[in-house]
Amino acid sequence: MRRELSADFGKVQLFFHSEQNDGEAWLIAERGRIRRRWISEYPQLALGGPFGVERRLLDAYGITGKPEDLDPSSDLAGEWAATWGDCWATTVAGESGIDPTTAAADTVSTSGMLVAAAAPIE
């Protein structure tokens, strides 16, 4: 579905950010191709290569590949996982277009933007 939308509209982005540490996820598709899909809770489902803040953070740790290729039991994987506060979906969203958590109500967009927020569970 996302591929078709990006083929029709050029670029489609989907982001999930949890304030309750339920994970981070994003999907960025352009011209009918998935550029990157990342789901922190399910790294084996990742597609595409890291770029932007994700790539810079990997480079800072000397990781030349993808986070999904790391041995989960390695010290390096543990160190990388501890840095996710620096690579939230909102940060990726901001670099890829608009961070919906900081966008002003009058932010102009050449296309539509849908923001959904879940109420905290009490």
Side-chain angles (χ1 to χ4, degrees):
M1 180 67 168
R2 303 296 183 264
R3 290 181 190 185
E4 291 83 8
L5 287 173
S6 71
D8 291 342
F9 297 103
K11 190 172 188 179
V12 174
Q13 302 173 2
L14 170 74
F15 301 94
F16 171 79
H17 168 71
S18 171
E19 293 289 331
Q20 287 81 31
N21 290 326
D22 291 332
E24 302 290 320
W26 51 86
L27 172 72
I28 301 171
E30 295 178 354
R31 295 183 295 283
R33 294 178 182 234
I34 294 175
R35 184 166 180 202
R36 181 68 168 152
R37 177 177 69 190
W38 173 255
I39 307 167
S40 62
E41 301 298 306
Y42 302 97
Q44 69 276 15
L45 298 177
L47 292 173
F51 63 94
V53 65
E54 185 183 10
R55 180 74 264 157
R56 289 190 304 276
L57 193 54
L58 288 163
D59 290 346
Y61 277 85
I63 301 169
T64 58
K66 303 174 185 179
E68 58 268 28
D69 295 336
L70 293 173
D71 175 357
S73 62
S74 72
D75 289 341
L76 187 56
E79 290 174 24
W80 162 251
T83 67
W84 271 104
D86 297 328
C87 194
W88 286 353
T90 53
T91 306
V92 176
E95 280 195 348
S96 299
I98 299 172
D99 176 351
T101 64
T102 60
D106 61 350
T107 299
V108 176
S109 174
T110 59
S111 60
M113 179 171 71
L114 174 64
V115 177
I121 298 173
E122 296 181 20

